[in-house]
Amino acid sequence: MSFLWGVMGGPSAGPQPSGAETIQKLCDRVASSTLLDDRRDAVRALKSLSKKYRLEVGTQAMEHLIHVLQTDRSDSEIIGYALDTLYNVISNDLEEEEQDDSEEENLTKVDDLGSQFTEIFIKQHENVTLLLTLVEEFDFHVRWPGVKLLTSLLKQQGPQVQQIILVSPMGVSRLMDLLADSREVIRNDGVLLLQQLTKSNAAIQKIVAFENAFERLLDIVTEEGNSDGGIVVEDCLLLLQNLLKNNNSNQNFFKEGSYIQRMKPWFEVGDDNCGWSAQKVTNLHLMLQLVRVLVSPTNPPGATSSCQKAVFHCGLLQQLCTILMATGVPADILTETINTVSEVIRGCQMNQDYFASVNAPSNPPRPAIVVLLMSMVNERQPFVLRCAVLYCFQCFLYKNQKGQGEIVSTLLPSTIDATGNSVSAGQLLCGGLFSTDSLSNWCAAVALAHALQENATLKEQLLRVQLATSIGNPPVSLLQQCTNILSQGSKVQTRVGLLMLLCTWLSNCSIAVTHFLHNPANIPFLTGQIAENLGEEEQLVQGLCALLLGISIYYNDNSLENYRKEKLKQLIEKRIGRENFIEKLGFISKHELYSRAAQKPQPGFSSPEHMMFDHEFTKLVKELEGVISKAIYKSSEEDKKEEEVKKTLEQHDNIVTQYKKVIREQDQELEELKQRITTLMSQNEQLQATVTQQVSQIQQHKDQYNLLKVQLGKDTQHHNSHGDTFQMNGIQTEEVSKLKEELEEWKNKHELLQGQIREKDFLIEKLKSSQLEIGTTELSSQSSRSGGLDHSNELQKELEMLRSQLQLQSAEISQLLIENQKLQVMNTTADPVLGDSGAIVTKSSELEGQLEQQIKELKSEVKALSEEKESLKQHLDSSSSTVAILQDEKIKLQQEVAESKKEQDDLLVLLADQDQKLSALKIKLKDLGVPVEDEDDIESGDQGDEDEDVEEEEQD
């Protein structure tokens, strides 16, 4: 035990063992001791020596400490000592007293040592899995050291440990429980652990996000006081950035979970903004960066747009604009706020319109855009702030033609405030464009170029701007003033800005090119600049001059005789040389600053001297460099062919535009016809339903009529049994004659209806044949219209069939009414016992009257439908279409015609049923004793009845 006394500080006799010997003895004790207390004391001693003798403890004791973690899990104290010892060995955190003058060398050695020990530890994946299991323990002395050790492993060998945790069952979910720990120390270290775990690993980021990390982290930020919180808020914000940055899935989940709305309280800044703490500045800076992560231009356009709209609807943009216009806000926070607002409004018309309406709290109120531009052209403002304002102005004008028009309108003579009481955005840009500060010149030129970006109308309107140079001199145009300053040989930055403005202005605007060429000094200046052999600083200006000259050739409409395309090409060939011109033009894209500017929209310059190129201008150079090179080598014949091709293309475009207009009109007509057909189909369905209802009502009346006939037959027999045979026979004879007349009349009507049906069929066949003749003479594109007419003819035929059916039913009902009236007459002459049946007959007649009224209404509806069908037919005959897409509609209409034919067959079956029912009625009349015969036998039947009557009279 002497070595233990030496380690623990107790007295010892004899020479003291070295550190390595002591560690060796302690390792032997951990490995061989059977008592838990002895092993615990040995591990505690190793912990105390692990910082001073890190290398020795790591090389000799790591295996034994891992064995302790595996076998002694029941004792939390020894587990805690073992975890602390491993943490001291693996971690690279140096104690303050160990730091000296050779700190860098020590840090390098320590980093290597920690990385090596980490690699040894994670070589066996079971060790990391064991550590994850220990982190689940609730005991503070086990969980906290385990969290720290796992964090240190991730710092040393992040990707390897991430992969082990990712494949471990429920590995990430176990670590997420740390955020719910009630002990703040463990919770805060858990946040640090998740920071290391989620670095550059999209799979783990998604798992952590779907484990409700956003909700828990935002709750922690709220509990800690939002931006007024401590370093815990900073750690949570860093973790949120890890989860959202470059992870579209998590960004969408964050937006869909309505977590953007919970960010609004972060930016509530009071009136008194004095004395911001460093931690608050850091927290607010990270919060602004988090908003920028969601609306970054590098995200997919759809995701960025949806987040921008969410930021506006929840009021977050309004809150950011409040900070923007507040006083006392630190400069770096103000700069980051401007950058954040820039990306929130970039390319979003709704947000851009709101930003245009924001006013600064001044007297009188000024638009926020004007206030920001005043800062941009003020050389006393910080460089980063001026860059941020320029970026904000660019984002405000990005894909915003309305905003571009408003900016340019402040420069036009008709809209300039003559009183001079207020400063407009255009006046500030002109002031910056012609100031003595080269950075203001460059920023104003780039801002004005963005006001003209992809807007040929504004490029032409800007030619009207006139500037007063000095008293007594006539005003000059803005274009002329820019070229004058360019030729005066100002600073490189100023000339680069003006050349970018001119290139943007003249590109895709022939009128502006003509105005530029109208000044006879411009072309000699450009050729002189390109032809000279200047230093490296001037090479960029030479390249831009070559680009401007190339634009003057490519977009030249040859309206000026002295500066036609061919003459300008000859000028280049004589004074510069084509190869030399192309070489100078290539100086732009080969420049280092050009490559930097092309990477992202935000100006990211380390110093004012590096501000040379704009992101949007790099796109223009990339687009024009190739076409200008080709245009220089083209001959006059090729130019003529190209012009002819352009004219032909313009003509084709005009033709296409006309066809599009015709197609839109025909689409509208087709849509109207579809709606009408849909209406007719619905009316047809209603009529069919009505017919079905009428059929059911007719069946009910027939049943009632049959019942009345049975009752009347019984009453008649009872009356005859009392001796009134002669009277009843007389009544029956009169009834029989009348019924015969009625049957004859009904048959005549039936024949008349059959003739009308044949006439309608003949008319339909005639229409079909005429339509077929018309279809053979029309173009193939009109075949779809004929399909629509066939459909309409089928509907007409169906409606005619319905009309004939209704007429037959009406005739049948009339017959039944007459028969019921006759039976009522019989009923009145019969015994008073038949009073009940008379009431039934009265009720039946009322129902039949209602039915007759409904049939009349249906007839009127059918008539209206037929008229509407006729007008539809005329409209279809006069219409023509060239739309190929109507072929699909033809197929659909054919399907509908098939369905209508099926319905027509059903109606024919229904008519057949009606004929069967009429036959049944004849049979029932025969049962009553009325001799009802067929057409062929009517005459003979009538003669036989007369003979019978004569015989009866003779007998009497």
Side-chain angles (χ1 to χ4, degrees):
M1 295 294 290
S2 60
F3 66 93
L4 283 178
W5 284 107
V7 171
M8 302 304 295
S12 60
Q16 296 293 330
S18 63
E21 294 175 353
T22 304
I23 292 169
Q24 181 62 43
K25 293 179 181 179
L26 289 173
C27 292
D28 294 340
R29 189 61 179 267
V30 171
S32 61
S33 295
T34 56
L35 295 178
L36 179 60
D37 292 340
D38 291 344
R39 293 199 302 275
R40 187 190 305 120
D41 292 339
V43 173
R44 183 168 57 241
L46 287 172
K47 175 189 172 183
S48 63
L49 295 172
S50 58
K51 292 184 179 180
K52 186 175 181 180
Y53 301 100
R54 181 181 177 189
L55 177 61
E56 291 79 2
V57 173
T59 54
Q60 300 182 36
M62 181 174 290
E63 183 179 353
H64 301 293
L65 293 173
I66 293 173
H67 183 71
V68 168
L69 296 178
Q70 294 172 346
T71 57
D72 293 332
R73 293 184 56 184
S74 59
D75 185 69
S76 60
E77 190 174 357
I78 191 173
I79 295 295
Y81 292 151
L83 291 173
D84 284 334
T85 305
L86 289 172
Y87 174 74
N88 293 336
V89 169
I90 292 174
S91 176
N92 288 332
D93 298 333
L94 289 177
E95 296 294 335
E96 293 183 359
E97 61 271 10
E98 296 180 2
Q99 297 181 4
D100 51 15
D101 296 335
S102 58
E103 184 175 357
E104 294 183 0
E105 297 180 1
N106 290 338
L107 284 174
T108 303
K109 294 179 180 179
V110 166
D111 288 341
D112 294 340
L113 196 59
S115 179
Q116 292 174 4
F117 284 138
T118 302
E119 190 173 351
I120 295 172
F121 184 84
I122 66 174
K123 190 173 183 180
Q124 298 294 330
H125 294 180
E126 295 80 5
N127 296 340
V128 180
T129 306
L130 174 63
L131 189 55
L132 291 173
T133 306
L134 294 174
V135 169
E136 284 187 294
E137 297 290 337
F138 185 75
D139 194 313
F140 181 82
H141 296 90
V142 176
R143 196 171 205 182
W144 188 39
V147 170
K148 293 193 297 181
L149 177 57
L150 191 54
T151 305
S152 182
L153 292 174
L154 286 165
K155 287 181 180 179
Q156 299 295 336
Q157 299 286 341
Q160 292 85 343
V161 180
Q162 285 175 344
Q163 192 61 31
I164 296 172
I165 295 175
L166 190 60
V167 300
S168 177
M170 299 295 291
V172 179
S173 300
R174 296 176 186 177
L175 300 179
M176 286 300 300
D177 294 336
L178 297 173
L179 296 180
D181 201 303
S182 58
R183 294 160 293 192
E184 291 188 1
V185 176
I186 295 180
R187 183 199 67 184
N188 299 343
D189 283 349
V191 173
L192 297 175
L193 170 60
L194 291 174
Q195 278 185 27
Q196 300 297 327
L197 181 65
T198 56
K199 278 185 177 180
S200 305
N201 194 308
I204 294 179
Q205 290 169 1
K206 292 179 182 179
I207 296 174
V208 171
F210 283 96
E211 288 285 346
N212 206 22
F214 293 139
E215 183 77 26
R216 296 182 184 181
L217 291 173
L218 292 175
D219 289 341
I220 294 174
V221 172
T222 304
E223 291 172 4
E224 295 292 328
N226 295 327
S227 60
D228 294 324
I231 195 171
V232 179
V233 174
E234 179 183 349
D235 294 335
C236 291
L237 294 173
L238 289 172
L239 178 54
L240 285 171
Q241 283 192 21
N242 284 353
L243 295 175
L244 294 173
K245 195 169 186 178
N246 299 324
N247 195 314
N248 301 328
S249 174
N250 284 0
Q251 290 174 6
N252 185 60
F253 181 70
F254 191 84
K255 178 183 69 69
E256 295 296 335
S258 300
Y259 295 120
I260 294 179
Q261 288 81 336
R262 296 187 60 178
M263 299 170 68
K264 183 183 176 183
W266 295 356
F267 305 100
E268 294 178 355
V269 179
D271 297 333
D272 186 13
N273 294 321
C274 299
W276 286 34
S277 65
Q279 187 61 54
K280 181 175 181 178
V281 172
T282 303
N283 291 344
L284 201 55
H285 198 273
L286 290 172
M287 291 172 177
L288 292 169
Q289 287 182 347
L290 192 62
V291 177
R292 293 185 64 185
V293 166
L294 296 172
V295 296
S296 173
T298 58
N299 294 339
T304 300
S305 177
S306 60
C307 288
Q308 287 173 333
K309 293 176 182 177
V311 169
F312 175 78
H313 289 304
C314 73
L316 184 54
L317 176 59
Q318 294 86 328
Q319 203 74 35
L320 293 173
C321 290
T322 302
I323 298 176
L324 199 64
M325 295 292 105
T327 57
V329 179
D332 52 347
I333 293 297
L334 182 61
T335 302
E336 190 64 24
T337 303
I338 295 173
N339 289 328
T340 305
V341 171
S342 304
E343 295 183 352
V344 170
I345 68 175
R346 187 177 189 270
C348 182
Q349 187 66 50
M350 177 175 58
N351 294 358
Q352 289 168 339
D353 292 342
Y354 171 78
F355 184 70
S357 65
V358 175
N359 290 324
S362 59
N363 191 15
R366 290 178 176 174
I369 298 174
V370 174
V371 175
L372 292 175
L373 288 178
M374 293 172 66
S375 301
M376 185 185 73
V377 298
N378 187 354
E379 56 184 315
R380 291 176 294 183
Q381 292 292 339
F383 170 68
V384 290
L385 179 62
R386 298 174 74 180
C387 290
V389 173
L390 176 61
Y391 183 48
C392 183
F393 192 73
Q394 293 173 349
C395 292
F396 170 69
L397 298 178
Y398 182 72
K399 294 183 179 180
N400 183 12
Q401 293 188 352
K402 179 182 176 182
Q404 289 176 326
E406 292 173 354
I407 297 299
V408 173
S409 66
T410 59
L411 287 166
L412 299 179
S414 58
T415 57
I416 294 177
D417 187 5
T419 60
N421 293 330
S422 60
V423 180
S424 65
Q427 293 172 349
L428 288 172
L429 290 177
C430 283
L433 194 61
F434 307 125
S435 70
T436 57
D437 179 29
S438 60
L439 183 58
S440 297
N441 301 152
W442 190 91
C443 292
V446 171
L448 195 56
H450 275 262
L452 304 175
Q453 198 79 35
E454 298 179 357
N455 199 324
T457 304
L458 294 182
K459 292 177 181 179
E460 296 177 7
Q461 291 184 4
L462 200 63
L463 296 172
R464 299 164 44 202
V465 177
Q466 300 290 323
L467 302 176
T469 55
S470 60
I471 300 174
N473 293 329
V476 297
S477 66
L478 178 61
L479 182 63
Q480 181 63 42
Q481 185 65 13
C482 290
T483 56
N484 291 341
I485 296 176
L486 192 62
S487 62
Q488 292 173 2
S490 53
K491 294 182 180 179
V492 174
Q493 191 174 40
T494 301
R495 284 182 287 163
V496 168
L498 291 173
L499 286 169
M500 286 196 299
L501 172 60
L502 292 174
C503 290
T504 305
W505 194 346
L506 270 59
S507 63
N508 203 20
C509 184
S510 300
I511 299 176
V513 172
T514 303
H515 278 71
F516 179 77
L517 296 176
H518 191 71
N519 187 351
N522 289 338
I523 295 300
F525 168 75
L526 292 179
T527 55
Q529 288 285 320
I530 300 169
E532 291 182 6
N533 293 321
L534 303 174
E536 294 184 359
E537 294 182 357
E538 295 293 333
Q539 286 183 352
L540 187 56
V541 176
Q542 287 183 318
L544 292 172
C545 289
L547 179 64
L548 183 57
L549 183 56
I551 291 173
S552 301
I553 295 174
Y554 185 73
Y555 293 104
N556 191 348
D557 58 359
N558 294 328
S559 59
L560 295 177
E561 184 64 28
N562 295 331
Y563 296 103
R564 298 175 63 86
K565 286 186 178 181
E566 191 61 30
K567 290 186 178 182
L568 291 176
K569 292 179 184 178
Q570 293 174 1
L571 186 64
I572 292 175
E573 180 67 25
K574 292 178 181 179
R575 297 191 180 181
I576 304 173
R578 293 181 180 178
E579 291 77 10
N580 190 23
F581 178 85
I582 299 300
E583 182 183 359
K584 297 293 177 67
L585 183 62
F587 285 164
I588 303 175
S589 57
K590 294 178 181 178
H591 203 280
E592 180 184 0
L593 297 177
Y594 174 89
S595 302
R596 291 184 186 178
Q599 292 177 359
K600 58 181 181 178
Q602 182 182 1
F605 305 107
S606 57
S607 64
E609 293 77 15
H610 292 162
M611 291 187 74
M612 288 295 175
F613 285 108
D614 172 59
H615 178 74
E616 293 297 326
F617 181 74
T618 59
K619 295 181 180 179
L620 182 65
V621 172
K622 189 175 182 180
E623 176 185 351
L624 295 178
E625 186 176 5
V627 296
I628 289 175
S629 300
K630 292 179 182 179
I632 295 299
Y633 284 101
K634 282 182 180 178
S635 62
S636 58
E637 295 179 356
E638 291 177 344
D639 287 338
K640 290 180 181 179
K641 290 181 180 179
E642 186 176 353
E643 290 179 0
E644 292 177 358
V645 170
K646 286 183 179 180
K647 291 180 180 179
T648 305
L649 290 175
E650 290 178 357
Q651 293 176 357
H652 283 299
D653 291 340
N654 293 333
I655 295 172
V656 170
T657 303
Q658 293 176 0
Y659 274 116
K660 285 181 179 179
K661 184 178 179 181
V662 172
I663 289 171
R664 279 195 295 268
E665 294 175 355
Q666 292 176 348
D667 285 341
Q668 293 177 357
E669 294 178 0
L670 180 62
E671 193 65 29
E672 293 176 359
L673 291 175
K674 285 181 181 179
Q675 292 177 358
R676 288 187 181 183
I677 290 174
T678 303
T679 304
L680 291 174
M681 292 296 294
S682 62
Q683 292 178 355
N684 185 23
E685 291 176 357
Q686 292 177 0
L687 287 175
Q688 289 179 355
T690 305
V691 168
T692 305
Q693 183 180 2
Q694 296 296 336
V695 169
S696 63
Q697 291 180 359
I698 289 171
Q699 186 63 38
Q700 292 177 1
H701 290 310
K702 286 182 179 179
D703 294 340
Q704 293 177 2
Y705 179 73
N706 292 332
L707 180 62
L708 287 173
K709 286 198 295 185
V710 171
Q711 291 178 354
L712 288 173
K714 291 180 181 179
D715 292 338
T716 302
Q717 292 176 1
H718 179 72
H719 188 74
N720 286 337
S721 65
H722 287 83
D724 295 331
T725 305
F726 178 78
Q727 183 180 4
M728 292 302 297
N729 286 338
I731 294 173
Q732 288 180 357
T733 302
E734 183 181 359
E735 180 184 2
V736 166
S737 61
K738 290 183 178 180
L739 287 174
K740 288 179 178 180
E741 294 176 356
E742 292 169 1
L743 284 174
E744 184 67 26
E745 182 181 358
W746 183 85
K747 290 178 179 179
N748 293 333
K749 290 182 179 180
H750 183 72
E751 291 177 356
L752 179 62
L753 290 175
Q754 291 292 336
Q756 292 178 357
I757 290 173
R758 285 192 292 271
E759 291 177 359
K760 295 294 183 181
D761 292 338
F762 176 75
L763 179 60
I764 290 171
E765 292 296 331
K766 184 177 181 181
L767 289 174
K768 285 184 178 179
S769 62
S770 63
Q771 179 62 26
L772 182 60
E773 293 174 358
I774 293 172
T776 57
T777 60
E778 291 181 346
L779 296 174
S780 60
S781 60
Q782 294 176 334
S783 61
S784 56
R785 286 292 185 187
S786 64
L789 183 58
D790 292 339
H791 183 208
S792 299
N793 290 333
E794 292 295 335
L795 290 176
Q796 180 70 27
K797 185 176 179 181
E798 181 180 348
L799 288 175
E800 292 296 337
M801 296 297 295
L802 288 173
R803 186 187 299 172
S804 62
Q805 180 187 356
L806 290 174
Q807 290 175 352
L808 291 174
Q809 290 177 356
S810 177
E812 181 182 357
I813 290 169
S814 300
Q815 177 198 3
L816 292 175
L817 287 172
I818 294 171
E819 291 179 357
N820 281 330
Q821 290 176 359
K822 300 303 180 182
L823 290 174
Q824 286 177 3
V825 173
M826 292 172 61
N827 193 23
T828 55
T829 60
D831 193 82
V833 178
L834 301 175
D836 295 339
S837 64
I840 296 173
V841 170
T842 304
K843 183 177 180 181
S844 176
S845 63
E846 292 177 355
L847 292 173
E848 291 169 353
Q850 294 177 1
L851 181 60
E852 186 176 2
Q853 182 65 26
Q854 292 178 359
I855 291 173
K856 289 180 180 179
E857 294 176 357
L858 286 174
K859 287 180 179 179
S860 63
E861 290 179 2
V862 169
K863 184 177 181 181
L865 285 173
S866 64
E867 293 176 354
E868 187 173 359
K869 277 292 179 180
E870 289 296 329
S871 63
L872 180 61
K873 173 185 156 189
Q874 294 174 0
H875 186 71
L876 286 173
D877 290 337
S878 63
S879 300
S880 63
S881 172
T882 58
V883 185
I885 200 170
L886 288 177
Q887 189 64 28
D888 297 334
E889 296 296 332
K890 176 183 175 183
I891 296 173
K892 296 181 181 178
L893 290 174
Q894 288 177 348
Q895 293 177 355
E896 293 177 358
V897 168
E899 294 177 358
S900 300
K901 287 183 179 178
K902 184 179 179 182
E903 295 174 357
Q904 180 182 355
D905 295 338
D906 295 339
L907 291 175
L908 292 174
V909 172
L910 182 61
L911 290 175
D913 293 340
Q914 293 295 333
D915 292 337
Q916 293 178 1
K917 291 177 182 178
L918 290 175
S919 300
L921 285 175
K922 292 178 182 179
I923 295 171
K924 290 179 180 179
L925 287 174
K926 290 180 181 180
D927 294 340
L928 288 173
V930 179
V932 180
E933 300 177 356
D934 296 334
E935 293 181 356
D936 297 336
D937 301 333
I938 287 177
E939 295 180 358
S940 60
D942 291 342
Q943 184 65 36
D945 292 338
E946 291 176 359
D947 295 340
E948 290 177 0
D949 292 340
V950 171
E951 291 176 359
E952 289 178 358
E953 290 178 357
E954 290 177 354
Q955 291 177 1
D956 293 338

